[in-house]
Amino acid sequence: LDKLRQSAEAIRTTKDETVSLGVIPIFANSVMPEAVNDLRSVRHGLSLNTSVRNTPEIVDSVLFQQLDLGVI
């Protein structure tokens, strides 16, 4: 939970950087477009790199710090 809080805080305070997200397929076209638009409307300089992956790949990528955040 501490790591999640730290990641959320880093994303919240990041300026002019890229945040990499891993997203499961079910959320890629349903939840994420609106969430990304909302985030970009308040964080104009933030660039998001979103990739669609399955749950094990997202978990591994977050653990190995290849992704900043996983949405499962």
Side-chain angles (χ1 to χ4, degrees):
L1 288 176
D2 288 336
K3 178 68 174 163
L4 180 58
R5 283 188 199 103
Q6 291 170 355
S7 295
E9 181 64 17
I11 292 168
R12 188 179 71 75
T13 59
T14 297
K15 292 186 174 124
D16 300 324
E17 291 189 29
T18 299
V19 174
S20 59
L21 304 173
V23 182
I24 58 172
I26 192 85
F27 291 150
N29 293 318
S30 60
V31 176
M32 289 310 295
E34 185 177 345
V36 167
N37 286 336
D38 289 349
L39 183 57
R40 285 188 174 145
S41 72
V42 295
R43 300 303 310 256
H44 301 288
L46 185 63
S47 175
L48 296 172
N49 180 10
T50 305
S51 59
V52 179
R53 301 180 185 191
N54 63 39
T55 299
E57 289 176 314
I58 292 172
V59 170
D60 288 345
S61 295
V62 170
L63 287 173
F64 292 114
Q65 298 179 346
Q66 296 166 338
L67 292 172
D68 296 309
L69 182 66
V71 181
I72 304 173

